[in-house]
């Protein structure tokens, strides 16, 4: 009952806020509110800084570019800044009652002298947020890439505390967490599998990306559902000033985007597509016996928005992506295999302003991830399907009605449907039809958060999130023998909407900022999070065949507490930002699988699981320069991440597979002249922890008379989990961007990139092979990518 009281109280607070939004402190005479936009295309700018010149009050635009700031009567102007744009000063008109629109112009490079400036902001010093980083879509395009493809997930692994899953993989691990402990959002829609090409590329088309935000700790109360991080990818809205075409041609894929106004200045659209074409280009040249084999992927992003009036805006965005692998046996044309997977998302959002002090966003969201396999051999064949599907309704309020307070509250409901597997087909005259029972769940959440500036030096952010997860019928729960894993024949039937497992929880959040002086501060945060959805995988990376499963009576929700403290210091008039953060994160109800577990099409999947705890702690350093000819960052992380399961490793603590003691990255961008930009990336990391056999013995003896040699069957003996380390991972990448032509009507540029400049042989995995003659077993490392040049042509008109 306590949870329902919390939700009721949040609702009452929300009702009070909507009825009393005119309250303000006496010293604040009026409010200025509006939007900050890019002057060239009308796109709203996320996180732009608005500073009152006289009172030095500061605020930032929200996800939709909206801001509201309380001012004194003697205020005369605002300073508005954003990375990569000229700072604009806005003259305040106290008689203006409507919302304002402030347009920022992009920075220009002088033809005679290179003078580049950017946002000189002390936002990291004054705000209560910590463990948060952002990368703009434009910055993303300047990073060196593999095979000519810019990638969101590779870019964030260059930040401290975020580790890559391996050579060229898109999996990422945040502060000791697993790949399923990251909530990945695309315009608020959950992306369950963010990978193309079996993990080498992500589903995010850089031409459609507006902003990337990664939250590693101090998670705000409006987010939940995962233990480790939130990756929030915001898509571009489209140019509402003029029709524009852009795209790029790379080594493995091409992109094309069209955008423009529906009603100039009021509405716009964006359509962006990407597809690989190796299958099309190579088809005329491959031998006839393998022409049935192919692989390709494609993405389609669409977005449109409409300004109904000064107080109402509508947004619609959608994504559709697929990977398709076809295989036809060269020996038997009747044997054909088709394997595909992909994500679909659709987001409908309504922004409403009750007044300058109260902003509401209502979202209706649909997302689906599905996997399909078709097997054909002669007249026989069958197909297998699985997936997960969500429908989400959420309301998020921003209230600026109290001076020195910024209050957020909202409500969220999600309906989950899990489809572990459906098998259909025929073999001869026998029809196949089998399905693992689908599962259904309701997830409710309500939150309240207040960012309170107590004094000139102290700011506090307090939040509470109340969540209820309910696994419901219809469902037929079969009973299995705990020792043999075989069904007992007993079945318990749950009717539609009947509760199977119910978990009501509270998630408190808190962070505090103490301003030492104008250029330095100390922050601390506490975050408690629960996770009700879990990824069934035996690998470290996330693959298409991995399944998402809900919490149940046996599978308890994962739980994590994260404590963090940090020191922040700006130098050279806020041009250089530095920070050091320490964190400590115990995790409970972690999930692993028994050795040899069968995950796919297994009705008794829960019996394959074992449950334990985890611990992660570390220190992160970051030095970042956002402006000038030379900009970039250097990051370093020292960390430890361990796991403990009673049924694994004899109950002893062992290193998590992606524990990495040292992790360092250097990212630099240098403007050589008006046409050329050079970019450099260097990464270094301790080798992954791996489990290798400690010995081997012969299981069966025999002798091959024909070949005159012994026949042996070897059995590997394993001792401890993850007790070995692969060699350290390191590489350097460089790229050069050449702007061939840039006018108001046409822009053309080339990107030349070299991945792994010094040809480092980084191990992908290790295998063993016995040398019978020498009587020893040798280990061999498999390396994936040598030095790899690429080129890409980009255009815009």
């Amino acid at each position: 009952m306590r949870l329902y009281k919390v939700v009721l109280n949040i609702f009452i607070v929300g009702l009070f806020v909507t009825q009393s939004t005119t309250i303000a402190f006496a010293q604040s005479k009026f409010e200025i509110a509006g939007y900050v936009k890019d002057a060239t295309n009308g796109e709203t700018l996320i996180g732009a800084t608005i500073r009152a010149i006289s009172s030095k009050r500061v605020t930032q635009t929200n996800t939709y570019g909206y801001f509201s700031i309380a001012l004194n009567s003697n205020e005369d102007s605002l300073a508005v800044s954003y990375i990569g744009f000229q700072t604009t000063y806005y003259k305040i008109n106290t008689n203006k009652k409507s919302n304002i629109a402030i347009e920022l112009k992009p920075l220009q490079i002088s033809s005679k002298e290179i003078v580049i400036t950017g946002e000189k902001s002390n936002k990291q010093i004054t705000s209560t947020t910590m463990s948060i980083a952002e990368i703009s879509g434009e910055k993303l395009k300047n990073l060196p890439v593999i095979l000519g493809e810019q990638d969101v997930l590779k870019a964030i692994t260059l930040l401290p505390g975020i580790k890559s899953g391996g050579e060229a993989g898109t999996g990422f691990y945040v502060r000791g967490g697993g790949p399923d402990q990251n909530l990945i959002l695309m315009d608020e829609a959950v992306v369950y599998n963010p990978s193309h090409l079996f993990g080498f590329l992500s589903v995010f088309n850089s031409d459609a990306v507006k902003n990337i935000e990664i939250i590693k700790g101090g998670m705000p109360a409006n987010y939940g559902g995962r233990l480790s991080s939130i990756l929030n990818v915001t898509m571009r809205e489209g140019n509402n000033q003029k029709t524009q075409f852009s795209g790029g041609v790379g080594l493995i894929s091409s992109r094309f985007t069209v955008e423009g106004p529906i009603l100039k200045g009021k509405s716009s659209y964006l359509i962006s597509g990407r597809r690989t074409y190796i299958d099309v280009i190579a088809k005329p040249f491959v031998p006839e016996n393998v022409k049935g084999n192919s692989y390709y992927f494609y993405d389609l992003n669409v977005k449109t928005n409409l300004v109904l009036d000064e107080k109402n805006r509508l947004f619609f965005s959608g994504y559709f992506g697929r990977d398709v692998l076809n295989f036809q046996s060269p020996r038997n044309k009747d044997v054909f295999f088709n394997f595909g997977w992909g994500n679909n998302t659709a987001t409908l959002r309504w922004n409403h302003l009750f007044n300058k002090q109260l902003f509401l966003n209502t979202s209706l969201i649909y997302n689906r991830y599905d996997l399909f396999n078709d097997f054909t051999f002669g007249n026989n064949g069958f197909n297998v399907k699985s997936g997960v599907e969500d429908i989400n309704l959420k309301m998020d309020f921003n209230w600026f009605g109290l001076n020195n307070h910024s209050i957020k509250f909202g409500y969220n409901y999600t309906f989950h449907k899990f489809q572990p597997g459906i098998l259909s087909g025929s073999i001869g005259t026998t029809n196949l039809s089998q399905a693992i029972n689908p599962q259904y769940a309701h997830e409710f959440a309500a939150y309240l958060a207040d960012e309170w500036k107590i004094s000139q030096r102290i700011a506090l952010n307090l939040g509470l999130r109340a969540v209820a997860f309910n696994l419901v019928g219809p469902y037929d729960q079969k009973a299995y023998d705990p020792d043999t894993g075989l069904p007992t024949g007993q079945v318990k039937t749950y009717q539609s909407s009947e509760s199977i497992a119910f978990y009501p929880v509270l998630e408190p959040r808190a962070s505090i900022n103490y301003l030492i002086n104008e250029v330095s501060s100390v922050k601390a945060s506490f975050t408690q999070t629960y996770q009700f959805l879990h990824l069934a995988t035996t690998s470290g990376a996330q693959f298409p065949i991995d399944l998402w499963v809900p919490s149940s009576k046996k599978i308890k929700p994962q739980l994590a507490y994260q404590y963090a403290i940090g020191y922040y210091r700006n130098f050279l008039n806020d041009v250089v930002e530095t920070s050091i953060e320490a964190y400590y994160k115990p995790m409970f109800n972690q999930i692993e699988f028994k050795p040899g577990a069968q995950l796919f099409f297994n009705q008794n999947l829960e019996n394959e699981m074992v449950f334990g705890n985890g611990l992660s702690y570390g220190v992160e350093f970051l030095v970042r320069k956002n402006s000038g000819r030379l900009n970039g960052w250097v990051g370093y992380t020292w960390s430890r991440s361990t796991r403990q399961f009673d049924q694994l490793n004899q109950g002893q603590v062992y290193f998590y597979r992606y524990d990495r003691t040292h992790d360092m990255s250097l990212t630099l961008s240098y403007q050589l002249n008006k046409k050329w930009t050079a970019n450099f990336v260097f990464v270094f990391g301790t080798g992954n922890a791996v489990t290798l056999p400690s010995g081997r013995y012969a299981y069966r003896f025999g002798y091959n008379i024909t070949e005159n040699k012994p026949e042996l069957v070897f059995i590997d003996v394993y001792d401890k989990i993850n007790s070995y380390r692969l060699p350290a991972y390191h590489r350097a990448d460089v790229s050069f961007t050449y702007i061939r032509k840039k006018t108001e009507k046409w822009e053309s540029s080339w990107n030349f990139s070299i991945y792994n400049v010094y040809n480092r042989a980084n191990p992908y995995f290790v295998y063993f092979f016995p040398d019978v003659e020498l009587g020893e077993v040798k280990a061999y490392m498999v390396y994936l990518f040598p030095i790899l040049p690429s080129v890409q042509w980009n255009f815009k008109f």
Side-chain angles (χ1 to χ4, degrees):
M1 293 299 293
R2 187 177 66 170
L3 179 73
Y4 295 113
K5 291 181 180 179
V6 171
V7 174
L8 180 61
N9 289 336
I10 293 176
F11 176 78
I12 292 173
V13 170
L15 184 64
F16 167 77
V17 167
T18 58
Q19 297 299 321
S20 57
T21 58
T22 58
I23 298 175
F25 282 179
Q27 65 267 30
S28 295
K29 303 301 182 182
F30 59 92
E31 296 270 344
I32 291 292
Y35 295 87
V36 179
K37 301 180 179 182
D38 183 335
T40 61
N41 55 27
E43 289 256 7
T44 56
L45 299 178
I46 302 171
T49 300
I50 299 92
R51 184 188 305 274
I53 300 298
S54 298
S55 67
K56 296 185 179 180
R57 286 196 178 96
V58 178
T59 190
Q60 285 85 38
T61 56
N62 65 9
T63 306
Y64 302 95
Y66 181 78
F67 74 94
S68 178
I69 186 169
L71 301 176
N72 297 332
S73 58
N74 60 352
E75 299 284 2
D76 55 356
S77 61
L78 301 174
V80 185
S81 59
Y82 189 74
I83 294 176
F85 287 77
Q86 300 174 23
T87 298
T88 295
Y89 294 90
Y90 181 84
K91 181 73 174 178
I92 294 175
N93 181 359
T94 58
N95 296 321
K96 187 175 178 63
K97 296 183 179 180
S98 60
N99 292 320
I100 63 175
I102 301 176
E103 295 185 339
L104 303 187
K105 295 181 180 180
L107 293 166
Q108 300 295 328
I109 301 174
S110 171
S111 59
K112 295 181 180 179
E113 181 183 7
I114 302 173
V115 180
I116 304 174
T117 60
E119 180 187 34
K120 298 178 182 179
S121 171
N122 65 349
K123 183 167 57 177
Q124 81 148 356
I125 303 299
T126 59
S127 70
T128 57
T129 58
M130 63 183 301
S131 309
I132 294 180
E134 292 187 8
I135 301 176
S136 67
E138 290 302 316
K139 181 64 179 177
L140 174 66
K141 294 181 180 180
N142 289 329
L143 296 176
V145 295
I146 181 171
L147 300 176
E149 289 293 320
Q150 288 88 9
D151 198 281
V152 168
L153 299 188
K154 291 186 181 65
I156 64 172
T157 60
L158 300 175
L159 297 168
I162 306 174
K163 298 174 172 44
S164 168
E167 180 74 277
T170 58
F172 65 100
Y173 304 81
V174 179
R175 292 184 170 178
D180 65 327
Q181 294 175 354
N182 306 308
L183 180 63
I184 302 173
L185 303 173
M186 184 191 299
D187 272 356
E188 299 189 74
V190 177
V191 178
Y192 279 103
N193 189 318
S195 301
H196 282 311
L197 199 58
F198 296 96
F200 292 134
L201 297 173
S202 78
V203 300
F204 303 106
N205 180 353
S206 60
D207 282 355
V209 172
K210 178 179 180 178
N211 191 70
I212 307 157
E213 179 187 54
I214 177 75
I215 304 173
K216 302 177 292 181
M219 194 179 296
N222 53 306
Y223 289 113
R226 299 293 188 275
L227 297 191
S228 292
S229 76
I230 306 295
L231 176 63
N232 190 9
V233 179
T234 304
M235 313 308 293
R236 293 179 52 229
E237 298 163 9
N239 194 322
N240 67 13
Q241 301 297 313
K242 62 180 181 179
T243 301
Q244 200 168 51
F245 303 89
S246 61
V249 179
L251 293 181
I252 64 170
S253 70
S254 289
R255 317 176 317 274
F256 185 75
T257 301
V258 57
E259 57 186 300
I262 300 174
L263 294 173
K264 188 173 182 179
K266 287 192 173 183
S267 65
S268 62
Y269 69 91
L270 180 141
I271 304 173
S272 185
R274 177 176 62 161
R275 191 193 190 279
T276 55
Y277 41 68
I278 293 178
D279 59 317
V280 178
I281 295 176
K283 194 171 184 178
F285 306 101
V286 299
E288 190 67 30
N289 64 333
V290 294
K291 279 193 173 181
N293 303 332
S294 66
Y295 170 82
Y296 63 91
F297 73 78
Y298 59 87
D299 298 300
L300 178 66
N301 293 88
V302 296
K303 191 167 184 177
T304 184
N305 69 90
L306 175 63
V307 179
L308 300 176
D309 54 41
E310 189 180 78
K311 293 187 175 183
N312 296 280
R313 294 184 173 203
L314 288 177
F315 297 84
F316 173 79
S317 55
Y319 169 81
F320 182 82
R322 279 289 181 273
D323 287 66
V324 179
L325 172 65
N326 295 313
F327 172 79
Q328 188 174 41
S329 172
R331 297 181 179 180
N332 186 348
K333 296 293 184 180
D334 291 334
V335 177
F336 182 77
F337 167 67
N338 175 249
F339 179 42
W341 67 95
N343 298 277
N344 300 332
T345 72
T347 305
L348 178 64
R349 289 179 285 186
W350 169 46
N351 287 178
H352 176 67
L353 290 174
F354 292 92
N355 52 47
K356 291 182 180 180
Q357 299 166 339
L358 185 60
F359 179 93
L360 164 66
N361 176 68
T362 302
S363 300
L364 179 62
I365 305 164
Y366 170 81
N367 56 271
R368 186 182 75 203
Y369 172 72
D370 53 16
L371 167 74
F372 61 88
N373 299 271
D374 290 324
F375 302 89
T376 303
F377 39 99
N379 296 325
N380 305 311
F382 61 91
N383 64 75
V384 180
K385 299 178 181 179
S386 64
V388 57
E389 187 175 17
D390 294 340
I391 298 175
N392 177 217
L393 176 64
K394 60 197 295 282
M395 300 177 70
D396 299 290
F397 294 84
N398 290 66
W399 184 45
F400 310 95
L402 287 176
N403 194 20
N404 296 323
H405 290 262
S406 177
I407 296 176
K408 295 181 180 180
F409 63 96
Y411 317 96
N412 193 332
Y413 164 73
T414 304
F415 174 73
H416 302 284
K417 179 182 178 181
F418 305 88
Q419 183 59 70
I422 300 175
L423 172 67
S424 61
S426 62
I427 299 179
T429 58
T430 303
N431 291 326
L432 302 175
S433 181
Q434 185 179 354
I436 296 179
N437 291 338
Q439 293 178 289
Y440 307 91
H442 303 285
E443 187 172 351
F444 307 88
Y447 69 89
L448 175 64
D450 179 17
E451 184 167 356
W452 177 21
K453 189 173 183 180
I454 299 174
S455 67
Q456 289 297 322
R457 292 188 178 275
I458 302 175
L460 184 66
N461 192 319
L462 294 176
L464 181 64
R465 184 179 181 89
V467 186
F469 184 87
N470 193 13
L471 184 68
V472 298
Y475 187 72
D476 291 330
Q477 190 170 47
K478 297 180 180 180
Y480 291 85
D481 187 286
D483 297 322
T484 65
L486 298 176
T488 63
Q490 297 178 335
V491 177
K492 183 174 182 179
T493 300
Y494 292 89
Q495 302 301 320
S496 179
S497 300
E498 183 180 354
S499 180
I500 301 173
F502 180 65
Y503 294 101
V505 299
L506 293 175
E507 300 179 347
R509 317 284 174 85
S511 61
I512 187 171
N513 179 21
Y514 177 74
L515 192 65
I516 300 172
N517 50 45
E518 291 186 352
V519 295
S520 63
S521 67
V522 175
K523 302 180 187 181
S525 68
F526 167 76
T527 305
Q528 178 178 325
T529 51
Y530 287 86
Q531 180 168 329
F532 303 95
L533 276 59
H534 321 279
L535 188 65
T537 178
T538 56
S539 66
Q542 187 171 344
F543 288 98
I545 59 174
D546 296 338
L547 300 173
W548 287 88
V549 296
S551 293
S552 63
K553 285 185 176 180
K554 184 174 181 179
I555 307 174
K556 306 300 181 184
Q558 298 181 56
L559 167 64
Y561 303 98
Q562 184 172 164
Y563 309 85
I565 187 169
Y567 172 71
Y568 307 82
R569 176 74 159 84
N570 286 3
F571 296 91
L572 302 177
N573 193 25
D574 295 329
V575 170
V576 177
E577 301 175 350
T578 66
S579 66
I580 175 173
E581 290 186 10
Y583 66 89
Y584 181 83
K585 184 170 71 172
M587 297 169 282
F588 306 93
N589 301 329
Q590 301 297 284
I591 298 174
E592 289 288 354
F593 288 88
K594 300 174 183 177
Q598 173 59 42
L599 305 187
F600 191 65
F601 220 82
N602 184 350
Q603 182 72 63
N604 190 24
L605 187 62
E606 292 183 358
N607 193 56
E608 305 283 0
M609 299 179 180
V610 292
F611 306 95
N613 301 319
L615 177 63
S616 179
Y617 53 91
V619 183
E620 302 167 359
F621 302 85
L622 178 66
V623 179
R624 186 167 189 162
K625 185 173 182 286
N626 291 322
S627 61
R629 292 180 64 179
L630 177 66
N631 58 79
W633 67 84
V634 56
Y636 169 77
T637 304
W638 180 92
S639 63
R640 275 282 183 262
S641 183
T642 59
R643 298 290 187 270
Q644 189 277 321
F645 290 78
D646 292 340
Q647 295 174 267
L648 299 177
N649 203 47
Q650 299 177 341
Q652 298 178 5
V653 174
Y654 61 90
F655 288 117
Y656 181 52
R657 63 172 65 90
Y658 287 103
D659 170 78
R660 208 170 282 175
T661 308
H662 305 286
D663 192 79
M664 193 272 283
S665 63
L666 172 65
T667 303
L668 297 174
S669 180
Y670 185 70
Q671 189 78 39
L672 296 170
N673 54 42
K674 188 178 180 180
K675 288 184 174 290
W676 284 92
T677 302
N679 304 284
F680 174 80
V681 167
F682 174 77
V683 295
F684 173 89
T686 303
N688 289 337
V690 295
T691 303
L692 300 178
S694 57
R696 172 174 285 196
Y697 67 89
Y699 174 68
R700 183 181 300 163
F701 297 88
Y703 196 84
N704 189 322
I705 301 176
T706 305
E707 298 184 8
N708 196 29
K709 65 178 184 179
E711 292 285 352
L712 303 174
V713 176
F714 295 96
I715 302 297
D716 289 330
V717 179
Y718 292 88
D719 186 13
K720 295 183 179 181
I721 295 176
N722 294 341
S723 57
Y724 295 90
R725 291 278 179 176
L726 293 178
Y729 179 96
H730 56 88
R731 72 167 203 278
D733 310 327
V734 297
S735 72
F736 297 89
T737 300
Y738 171 64
I739 301 176
R740 185 176 181 275
K741 187 175 182 180
K742 188 173 183 179
T743 65
E744 290 186 2
K745 294 185 177 180
W746 173 260
E747 183 177 331
S748 174
S749 65
W750 290 86
N751 182 275
F752 306 94
S753 183
I754 302 177
Y755 181 88
N756 197 5
V757 172
Y758 53 86
N759 200 30
R760 163 69 176 177
N762 288 302
Y764 192 56
F765 63 87
V766 177
Y767 72 95
F768 295 86
F769 194 80
D771 190 322
V772 178
E773 294 182 359
L774 296 178
E776 61 184 26
V777 178
K778 294 183 178 180
Y780 297 88
M781 294 187 181
V782 175
Y783 310 100
L784 195 58
F785 289 116
I787 183 172
L788 196 62
S790 61
V791 61
Q792 185 181 68
W793 174 56
N794 299 301
F795 60 87
K796 182 187 291 185
F797 61 92

